[in-house]
Amino acid sequence: MYPPELVKPMREDLTSVGFEELHSAEAVETALAKEGTTLVVVNSVCGCAAANARPGARQSLQNAKRPDHLVTVFAGVDKEATDKAREHMVPFPPSSPSMALFKNGELVHMLERHHIEGRPAELIAENLMDAYNEHC
């Protein structure tokens, strides 16, 4: 577990643009049961989350079509919520950071760490916007 003061700014990177933090398995189940589209960002303390994932997720919201719901779990911090979110991302192996788009509870698009690491935020945002345009 990471100290709360360490992860606070990393959490705020997403909550400041409208992401809801999920801290329990029940919260994840409730979020994914909602009708419409839900973007789940598995946040992380790693450098690629700071340089690529969180900025890419934020930039993707500048699209005309957007997910109905924005949620985040924090790997290494909110273990129960992260584990439950990852159960819904099967067959993809656990990775962080990662992003998953769900439509009516069904996984329709996935960005794993290897799609994020080493790629600019703009490319990640573009990938997400393409998914929004198709599914939202």
Side-chain angles (χ1 to χ4, degrees):
M1 291 300 218
Y2 299 101
E5 61 274 7
L6 173 73
V7 299
K8 184 177 188 272
M10 298 172 202
R11 289 181 184 275
E12 291 172 349
D13 244 1
L14 295 176
T15 60
S16 67
V17 295
F19 281 82
E20 175 190 357
E21 289 184 303
L22 305 178
H23 303 286
S24 69
E26 294 78 25
V28 171
E29 290 294 345
T30 299
L32 293 180
K34 290 181 181 175
E35 190 172 315
T37 51
T38 302
L39 178 64
V40 178
V41 174
V42 178
N43 204 348
S44 173
V45 298
C46 72
C48 66
N52 313 88
R54 292 191 299 267
R58 288 193 317 267
Q59 288 175 31
S60 76
L61 301 178
Q62 303 307 310
N63 197 47
K65 290 185 177 183
R66 296 175 34 158
D68 299 308
H69 314 285
L70 304 169
V71 299
T72 182
V73 297
F74 209 114
V77 178
D78 299 317
K79 181 175 175 18
E80 179 185 324
T82 303
D83 288 349
K84 182 54 72 174
R86 286 175 170 162
E87 284 179 22
H88 290 274
M89 296 173 190
V90 170
F92 298 96
S95 67
S96 56
S98 61
M99 302 177 202
L101 183 65
F102 293 85
K103 186 169 187 174
N104 299 321
E106 178 186 338
L107 180 64
V108 294
H109 187 76
M110 185 75 190
L111 279 173
E112 298 174 84
R113 180 185 176 103
H114 70 89
H115 297 122
I116 295 168
E117 194 171 29
R119 290 182 172 77
E122 296 79 16
L123 188 59
I124 294 161
E126 184 179 303
N127 181 295
L128 289 171
M129 288 187 276
D130 287 346
Y132 303 163
N133 290 337
E134 182 178 346
H135 299 288
C136 296

